[in-house]
Amino acid sequence: MKRNKFYQYAILLALPWLGSNLMTSCTDSFEDLNTNSVQVDPNDLPFSAQCTEPMQYCYPPQQNMFQFWTNLTIDLYSGYFMTPNGNFTNGDMGENRGHSGGMYENYYLHIFNNTRRIIADCDQKGTLGLSGVMRVVQAYGTLMTTDAYGPLAYSSILSGEYESYYPFDSQQQLFVAMLKDLEKAITDIKGMSEGEKVTLATFDCWCNADTELWVKVANTLRLRMALRLSKREAEMKEAGIDLKQVATEAAANTLATVNTDIVIDKSLENEMWLMFNWGDCGFNANLVTLMTGMKDPRQPLYMTKNIKDVTNLEGKVVVPANTQYLGIRFASGLPGKPNNWANFSQWIDPQNTIGVYSMPLPIFKAAESYFLLAEAKLRWDIGSASVQSLYEDGIRVSMTNELSYRGKYAGVDAYAAGAVDEYINGTTTQVDFEDPVDPKLNTPAVNKLCVKWDEGASNEEKLERIITQKYFALFPLSIEAWAEQRRTGYPHLFPAYVDESNGGVNKEEGVRRVIYSSNAYDTNAQGVAMGRELLNKENSSKNGISGDKGGTHLWWDNANKGNF
């Protein structure tokens, strides 16, 4: 493939959406930009700039791409966030191809387009340690994207054999490729030369040129993938990958050895605040009722109480301002903005008086590694630490790191004395959801377990506790939270009140994947058609849903097998 071939493909992939949805609201001169015959070859940019872009766009620091990336889809499906703007149809399971391409286009344009080219160039030059770093970034971005959609164009792009279209790989093929890449990356990063380390320091916004930390990130990612595939262990062994062995190797050196969160602290814009400021995002009732019921000390670090008086449908004030944590039920059939639901809980520092707009961008939470290790111990008896100790240590690390990360933006200096221990030993559970505006949206709690560990519980209940606490610790990384919720079923999410999917999603089961966007069809129709065939082959839905639908199961989301 010519050097610019895939770069041109990536530009074509993005331009139809950019022209119709993004730039028309930001610049009147986009038509001139769109028709400019001069294209920038990314290889002409400084090497540090080439590497920085894919790393930063794993949590996009650009407001329109950020909204398109997850906030119109995955943020809602995960149970973390919900839009008060009823005009966003994905919020009512009304599959919208125009709003479903963000993860896909961000990956191809900003991540894969850069990493695959940098890796090839570095491999050719013999700077294998730098290739290894980019392989980790590429695997991180690929995992996010396949966890959203399923099959993707990957090996066909790397091979350079195709020009008019790009065949899709199955999800199993993608996981095999990612795991092999991470194994090579670890070897190559460990052997990085001193000269490469100097170069790494010019762009490394994840690990600040700490190669040992990069190895820990790669291992934590490998452990995450091994557990993601827990319902496809036999199939992966047939493909030559022993998931227990992968997990055992990875578990020996994860982020749990340093308790360091991977965040990008480069004074970039953290656009989540803006999603709320625009009136397009609120908190989801699932997260709010869980944290409220379990009396989670992190709740004021994650969200405010209701920012204004909340009135009911008769116009009576039922919740005075700043008195309750309030979330919005997913798929509630809300009207367009403005409305009363926009006065519910908000992102911390809603007036941006402290500077939350520049809050560091989260990439990997160290606490996740403890919950991964806890499940690996429970499932495969990996490691010497007990499941309970790993579970409780994960909670403690999350409490410590979230306070350090978010405390100044939330105006919280410390937890109350004994609060963390009280939480770990807590016996309260999720509260019922009661919508103060419209009581017809009320629904009873669906999670019945408390935080306190029960060694006599079944493996299923132990897993439910582990995943629920991982769910809190992952916040606001909704793609990972949603993937784990789909894989395990935990935490349980409230059922949709309305269903505008026209049969594309099962109301009780919820959304299982993001559909391919209209733009994907426009730019790679033959490849997407192959992707649909792979979806049908890998699908295990028991509700008669198949093809490019939100209710189709991804390969690892195996409805034919339980958690144990």
Side-chain angles (χ1 to χ4, degrees), residues 179-251:
L179 286 168
K180 289 182 176 179
D181 256 6
L182 287 170
E183 185 176 7
K184 176 172 174 52
I186 289 170
T187 298
D188 291 343
I189 292 170
K190 286 180 177 179
M192 185 180 290
S193 69
E194 292 304 314
E196 288 178 276
K197 291 178 182 178
V198 171
T199 301
L200 179 62
T202 66
F203 67 82
D204 186 2
C205 56
W206 282 21
C207 299
N208 296 314
D210 184 339
T211 56
E212 292 183 3
L213 190 56
W214 272 106
V215 170
K216 297 178 193 299
V217 170
N219 273 320
T220 310
L221 198 54
R222 291 172 75 206
L223 185 54
R224 178 193 280 184
M225 290 183 189
L227 289 167
R228 181 84 86 253
L229 299 173
S230 60
K231 294 182 180 180
R232 294 293 186 181
E233 192 171 356
E235 292 90 338
M236 287 300 288
K237 184 166 286 189
E238 290 175 2
I241 293 181
D242 185 324
L243 294 178
K244 181 179 178 180
Q245 181 180 342
V246 170
T248 301
E249 294 171 357

Side-chain angles (χ1 to χ4, degrees), residues 294-301 395-396 399-400 403 412 414-428 451 469:
M294 292 181 170
K295 302 178 182 178
D296 195 315
R298 290 165 293 192
Q299 193 163 14
L301 298 174
I395 296 172
R396 293 185 190 281
M399 293 285 180
T400 298
L403 183 63
V412 178
Y415 299 119
V420 175
D421 286 335
E422 288 177 11
Y423 178 74
I424 289 173
N425 292 297
T427 57
T428 57
V451 180
Q469 291 306 313

Side-chain angles (χ1 to χ4, degrees), residues 130-142:
L130 295 176
S131 294
V133 167
M134 285 296 105
R135 281 189 166 91
V136 176
V137 176
Q138 182 168 282
Y140 184 99
T142 305

Side-chain angles (χ1 to χ4, degrees), residues 337-351:
K337 65 178 182 182
N339 59 49
N340 245 309
W341 288 272
N343 297 330
F344 284 17
S345 292
Q346 291 284 301
W347 195 243
I348 54 176
D349 190 20
Q351 303 305 316

Side-chain angles (χ1 to χ4, degrees), residues 73 170 252 268 270 280 319 341 352 398 403 450 536 558:
T73 51
S170 70
L268 297 168
N270 187 319
D280 290 338
V319 184
W341 288 272
N352 197 35
S398 177
L403 183 63
C450 62
N536 287 336
N558 187 357

Side-chain angles (χ1 to χ4, degrees), residues 361-429:
L361 313 182
I363 299 296
F364 229 126
K365 299 295 186 73
E368 179 192 348
S369 60
Y370 284 92
F371 298 114
L372 292 171
L373 291 168
E375 184 180 349
K377 178 66 175 180
L378 180 69
R379 183 176 298 283
W380 290 314
D381 194 24
I382 293 173
S384 58
S386 70
V387 179
Q388 179 177 352
S389 66
L390 291 165
Y391 168 79
E392 293 179 352
D393 286 348
I395 296 172
R396 293 185 190 281
V397 169
S398 177
M399 293 285 180
T400 298
N401 288 5
E402 292 302 328
L403 183 63
S404 174
Y405 175 57
R406 308 174 70 87
K408 73 175 183 178
Y409 304 106
V412 178
D413 297 325
Y415 299 119
V420 175
D421 286 335
E422 288 177 11
Y423 178 74
I424 289 173
N425 292 297
T427 57
T428 57
T429 61

Side-chain angles (χ1 to χ4, degrees), residues 34-337:
N34 194 5
T35 56
N36 194 326
S37 61
V38 177
Q39 289 186 358
V40 177
D41 187 333
N43 288 279
D44 293 336
L45 297 173
F47 183 75
S48 60
Q50 296 178 44
C51 296
T52 297
E53 181 177 342
M55 297 173 75
Q56 291 181 347
Y57 272 82
C58 286
Y59 197 89
Q62 200 286 333
Q63 55 192 238
N64 302 96
M65 179 54 81
F66 183 93
Q67 184 176 45
F68 193 46
W69 171 59
T70 61
N71 203 240
L72 295 175
T73 51
I74 297 164
D75 282 351
L76 315 182
Y77 306 153
S78 70
Y80 278 166
F81 302 103
M82 177 54 193
T83 178
N85 185 355
N87 291 326
F88 289 146
T89 55
N90 283 335
D92 289 330
M93 299 203 299
E95 300 177 301
N96 185 329
R97 294 200 185 277
H99 284 173
S100 296
M103 177 67 74
Y104 188 95
E105 293 171 21
N106 182 60
Y107 169 68
Y108 282 112
L109 180 59
H110 294 292
I111 301 174
F112 192 42
N113 179 41
N114 289 289
T115 56
R116 39 74 53 189
R117 175 178 43 77
I118 295 167
I119 291 166
D121 287 349
C122 288
D123 281 352
Q124 185 177 24
K125 294 173 182 176
T127 51
L128 300 183
L130 295 176
S131 294
V133 167
M134 285 296 105
R135 281 189 166 91
V136 176
V137 176
Q138 182 168 282
Y140 184 99
T142 305
L143 180 62
M144 285 197 300
T145 311
T146 186
D147 282 347
Y149 299 99
L152 299 171
Y154 187 82
S155 63
S156 60
I157 295 169
L158 294 176
S159 72
E161 297 175 2
Y162 298 85
E163 294 190 358
S164 60
Y165 76 102
Y166 299 88
F168 277 38
D169 289 327
S170 70
Q171 195 168 54
Q172 181 176 16
Q173 290 171 318
L174 291 168
F175 271 90
V176 169
M178 287 186 288
L179 286 168
K180 289 182 176 179
D181 256 6
L182 287 170
E183 185 176 7
K184 176 172 174 52
I186 289 170
T187 298
D188 291 343
I189 292 170
K190 286 180 177 179
M192 185 180 290
S193 69
E194 292 304 314
E196 288 178 276
K197 291 178 182 178
V198 171
T199 301
L200 179 62
T202 66
F203 67 82
D204 186 2
C205 56
W206 282 21
C207 299
N208 296 314
D210 184 339
T211 56
E212 292 183 3
L213 190 56
W214 272 106
V215 170
K216 297 178 193 299
V217 170
N219 273 320
T220 310
L221 198 54
R222 291 172 75 206
L223 185 54
R224 178 193 280 184
M225 290 183 189
L227 289 167
R228 181 84 86 253
L229 299 173
S230 60
K231 294 182 180 180
R232 294 293 186 181
E233 192 171 356
E235 292 90 338
M236 287 300 288
K237 184 166 286 189
E238 290 175 2
I241 293 181
D242 185 324
L243 294 178
K244 181 179 178 180
Q245 181 180 342
V246 170
T248 301
E249 294 171 357
N253 190 18
T254 68
L255 289 171
T257 63
V258 289
N259 295 342
T260 300
D261 286 352
I262 306 302
V263 299
I264 301 175
D265 191 3
K266 298 293 181 182
S267 299
L268 297 168
E269 291 184 0
N270 187 319
E271 310 293 0
M272 185 59 81
W273 173 82
L274 198 57
M275 302 300 102
F276 282 81
N277 185 259
W278 284 349
D280 290 338
C281 191
F283 277 93
N284 196 299
N286 289 285
L287 178 66
V288 174
T289 54
L290 277 164
M291 296 191 87
T292 299
M294 292 181 170
K295 302 178 182 178
D296 195 315
R298 290 165 293 192
Q299 193 163 14
L301 298 174
Y302 288 9
M303 66 190 74
T304 70
K305 294 181 179 179
N306 59 303
I307 59 168
K308 295 181 181 179
D309 289 347
V310 174
T311 59
N312 61 17
L313 296 178
E314 288 73 43
K316 179 183 177 181
V317 174
V318 287
V319 184
N322 197 36
T323 57
Q324 290 186 33
Y325 292 111
L326 295 176
I328 307 168
R329 183 177 175 181
F330 176 64
S332 289
L334 303 184
K337 65 178 182 182

